[in-house]
């Protein structure tokens, strides 16, 4: 029995700090809470980032009897999760200053638990660990959504997310039960060995159920029903966290589970997954066209992005891992920046969620307006921003694997999405609206500008992300053998 | 000695179970059900499955009976007693019960005679739980902590 607890030091640190905060919450006067807890959380997440960086190595490392496998692939995902967690803390501080909430302490330590759950989810290489860490991440998210006072939209969204999320979890666990019944083990490596000798039909049942569970969590059509309501209803910082950390970790866990176990009979399921991908990218893009609420629009665009990522699974495993890591890297920064921007705008007397209120933003705050242009153009996939490179590598992977039809549909879906991404940009540069300048809170401003800068800089230097993704890919392949 | 106790508790359990479904007073029925569950726990003890026995008493005798009694408290018991039982639902209930009994008897006839001794003891459960599956076990404790905090925070009345 090898525990290798040190490998999990970032997770243990975050859990410890969160438990410490639960105790501290009891003795802290209410007026200091927001400042104190946001500082503690951001420092904790910052230290966790450093710890994770120091642990990244190309050689896969195992902990807790092989229940956790951390390759560079997992390390990259952990870093993305932690960065979005850090930005969420920064954004939340200013958001909480303005909103009524009686559970400030609860908000911050539940946020840390989301990060712990997401990191364990990305690291898990065993079925039961995967399931419980997924539940830690999701249940903490439901709680975060419903903590704000008098916010019935958030509670409604949380309830909807909770119910559909439970159905997704049930499907996932049923798939795991089938897999365990077939192979008699819960460790990915052993399952993969046993699965090679099995006939595809029962495996297909397991693959279908597990994929359905993950498609629920990542919001692909036909399991996308909760996305618009949950994204719109949740407090914007929580939407940020859901859209980046939880989603990225769920995709990573999906890859780690799916590729070793189910890839040897790709021909059996690739048609079904391809159909889901195409329907998701198109229905997301088309439904986003008529949205007046920017958060709702971004929810539909997230469905479209999910479709594009899923399409990649039809190429070869190596290309899938590479282009998904690249895309998730780009997508995290874009999501953080977009929802950070909405948080800023929903603050200063304007209802930032309604697209009409974006009128004349340029005369109020030019820097923010220019970053909005960069964010939305990157989401649409316009060069030279990072979103373009993400889509470019996915297209390349699809064309190289001979999936030209899928590549064309990714292109068309991106073209459709250009229309609704341009809409806020047009509103920003309208002359109407009052010209009062406003100054956003420091935390949210830093989060938005830094992630926008990342979009631009990585867009100009895509080879940096490409190198990182290749490192993730090579370590991932090494962990399979 | 063990065998005598086994049959004794088995009979008590069956009699109390019968009492719980036939008694007109629901509270009496509930208490009879509690007795039935506890003596069933004792049956497990007599065959050496002490862990299942403990769980039986805690989960069924503690949690589920309390749940039943709470549900009864919130309902109007008199109104339910006055309601007539419909023929169709009685028939469906009888059909399902008989089906379940047949299934149980079929399975029981398969395993009769080849009972593994000392199965489902506390040790067999504890070893994998605290050694092999230590990590998920620990994560579940985080999950319960989060869920408790969330339940308290969400359910508390907003002042």
């Amino acid at each position: 029995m090898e525990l290798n607890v040190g490998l999990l030091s970032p997770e243990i640190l975050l859990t410890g700090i969160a438990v410490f905060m639960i105790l501290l919450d009891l003795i802290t006067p209410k007026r200091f809470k927001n400042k104190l807890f946001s500082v503690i959380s951001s420092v904790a997440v910052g230290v966790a980032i450093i710890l994770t960086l120091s642990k990244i190595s190309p050689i896969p490392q195992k902990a807790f009897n092989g229940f956790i496998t951390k390759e560079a692939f997992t390390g990259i995902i952990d870093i993305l999760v932690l960065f979005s967690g850090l930005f969420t803390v920064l954004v939340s501080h200013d958001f909480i200053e303005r909103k009524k909430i009686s559970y400030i302490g609860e908000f911050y330590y539940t946020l840390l638990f989301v990060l712990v759950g997401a990191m364990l989810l990305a690291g898990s290489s065993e079925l039961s660990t995967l399931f419980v860490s997924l539940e830690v991440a999701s249940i903490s998210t439901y709680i975060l959504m419903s903590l704000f006072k008098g916010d019935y939209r958030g509670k409604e969204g949380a309830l909807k997310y909770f119910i559909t999320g439970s159905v997704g979890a049930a499907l996932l666990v049923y798939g795991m039960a089938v897999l365990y019944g077939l192979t008699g083990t819960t460790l990915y490596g052993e399952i993969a060995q046993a699965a090679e000798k099995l006939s595809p039909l029962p495996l297909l049942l397991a693959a279908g159920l597990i994929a359905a569970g993950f498609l629920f969590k990542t919001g692909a059509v036909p399991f996308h029903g909760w996305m618009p309501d949950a994204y719109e209803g949740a407090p914007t910082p929580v939407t940020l966290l859901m859209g980046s950390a939880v989603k990225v970790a769920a995709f990573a866990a999906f890859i780690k589970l799916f590729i070793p176990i189910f890839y040897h009979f790709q021909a059996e399921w690739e048609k079904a997954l391809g159909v889901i991908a195409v329907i998701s990218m198109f229905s997301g893009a088309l439904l986003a066209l008529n949205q007046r609420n920017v958060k709702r629009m971004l929810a539909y665009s997230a469905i479209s992005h999910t479709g594009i990522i899923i399409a990649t699974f039809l190429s070869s495993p190596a290309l899938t891992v590479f282009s998904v890591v690249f895309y998730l890297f780009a997508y995290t920064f874009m999501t953080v920046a977009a929802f950070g921007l909405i948080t800023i705008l929903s603050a200063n007397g304007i209802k930032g969620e309604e697209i009409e209120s974006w009128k004349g933003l340029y005369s109020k705050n030019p820097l923010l307006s220019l970053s909005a242009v960069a964010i939305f153009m990157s989401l649409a996939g316009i060069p030279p921003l990072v979103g373009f490179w993400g889509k470019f590598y996915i297209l390349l992977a699809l064309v190289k694997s001979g999936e030209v039809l899928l590549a064309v549909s990714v292109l068309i879906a991106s073209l459709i999405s250009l229309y609704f991404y341009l809409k806020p940009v047009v509103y920003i540069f309208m002359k109407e609206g009052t010209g009062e300048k406003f100054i956003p809170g420091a935390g949210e401003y830093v989060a938005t500008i830094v992630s926008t800068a990342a979009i631009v800089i990585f867009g100009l230097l895509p080879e940096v992300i490409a190198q990182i993704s290749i490192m993730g890919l090579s370590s991932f392949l090494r962990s399979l053998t | 000695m063990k065998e005598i106790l086994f049959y004794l508790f088995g009979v008590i359990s069956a009699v109390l179970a019968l009492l719980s479904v036939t008694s007109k007073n629901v509270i009496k029925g509930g208490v009879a059900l509690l007795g039935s569950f506890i003596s069933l726990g004792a049956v497990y003890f007599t065959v050496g499955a002490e862990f299942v026995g403990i769980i039986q008493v805690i989960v069924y005798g503690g949690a589920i009976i309390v749940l039943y009694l709470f549900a009864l408290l919130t309902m109007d018991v008199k109104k339910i007693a006055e309601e007539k039982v419909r023929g169709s639902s009685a028939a469906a209930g009888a059909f399902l019960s008989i089906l379940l009994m047949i299934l149980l008897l079929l399975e029981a006839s398969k395993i009769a005679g080849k009972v593994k001794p000392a199965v489902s003891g506390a040790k067999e459960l504890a070893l994998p739980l605290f050694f092999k599956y230590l990590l998920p076990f620990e994560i579940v404790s985080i999950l319960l902590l989060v869920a408790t905090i969330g339940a308290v925070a969400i359910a508390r009345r907003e002042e």
Side-chain angles (χ1 to χ4, degrees), chain A residues 18-229:
Chain A
V19 173
F20 170 69
M21 276 161 71
I22 295 176
L23 300 175
L24 199 64
D25 192 23
L26 300 172
I27 53 163
T28 314
K30 199 165 176 202
R31 56 182 191 285
F32 301 130
K33 269 188 189 172
N34 192 19
K35 203 148 246 124
L36 179 69
F37 285 130
S38 60
V39 168
I40 296 178
S41 322
S42 38
V43 169
V45 177
V47 175
I49 290 177
I50 296 167
L51 276 177
T52 313
L53 278 175
S54 72
K55 296 239 179 281
I56 288 185
S57 87
I59 303 154
Q61 288 166 301
K62 286 180 190 292
F64 284 93
N65 313 317
F67 280 36
I68 289 277
T69 310
K70 286 206 173 184
E71 323 91 342
F73 172 77
T74 311
I76 294 163
I77 298 294
D78 282 352
I79 296 286
L80 290 179
V81 166
L82 287 170
F83 260 112
S84 40
L86 182 63
F87 287 140
T88 313
V89 173
L90 291 177
V91 170
S92 304
H93 171 260
D94 298 327
F95 191 79
I96 287 174
E97 289 280 287
R98 296 190 291 263
K99 301 274 166 169
K100 278 186 192 157
I101 176 170
S102 6
Y103 303 110
I104 295 172
E106 281 85 347
F107 185 88
Y108 283 107
Y109 51 73
T110 313
L111 201 158
L112 292 190
F113 282 130
V114 174
L115 300 181
V116 172
M119 287 170 77
L120 288 169
L121 178 61
S124 59
S125 52
E126 194 263 350
L127 295 177
S128 57
T129 314
L130 170 78
F131 182 69
V132 288
S133 45
L134 180 70
E135 284 307 290
V136 169
S138 349
I139 287 180
S140 312
T141 317
Y142 310 143
I143 295 166
L144 280 183
M145 283 173 76
S146 43
L147 277 181
F148 282 83
K149 211 172 187 175
D151 174 23
Y152 291 104
R153 226 176 37 157
K155 290 189 169 104
E156 184 196 328
L159 191 64
K160 282 181 181 164
Y161 187 19
F162 171 66
I163 292 168
T164 48
S166 312
V167 175
L171 285 175
L172 183 68
V173 119
Y174 189 20
M176 288 176 181
V178 173
L179 210 54
Y180 177 68
L182 287 172
T183 58
T185 169
T186 55
L187 284 158
Y188 293 176
E190 292 173 11
I191 295 175
Q193 276 175 5
E196 276 171 19
K197 292 162 211 143
L198 288 167
S199 68
L201 198 65
L203 267 182
L204 216 54
L205 176 70
L209 288 165
I210 287 173
F214 275 110
L215 293 178
F216 250 110
K217 288 284 164 199
T218 52
V221 175
F223 312 109
H224 67 293
W226 59 274
M227 289 267 289
D229 287 327

Side-chain angles (χ1 to χ4, degrees), chain A residues 459-472:
Chain A
L460 295 171
L461 305 163
E463 57 270 23
V464 178
I465 310 182
Q467 290 293 336
I468 293 172
S469 311
I470 284 179
M471 189 175 81

Side-chain angles (χ1 to χ4, degrees), chain B residues 52-75:
Chain B
V52 180
I54 294 166
I55 292 295
Q56 164 79 21
V57 172
I58 292 173
V59 173
Y60 283 91
I64 290 188
I65 287 294
V66 171
L67 190 71
Y68 276 171
L69 292 181
F70 265 109
L72 285 174
L73 282 179
T74 58
M75 283 191 291

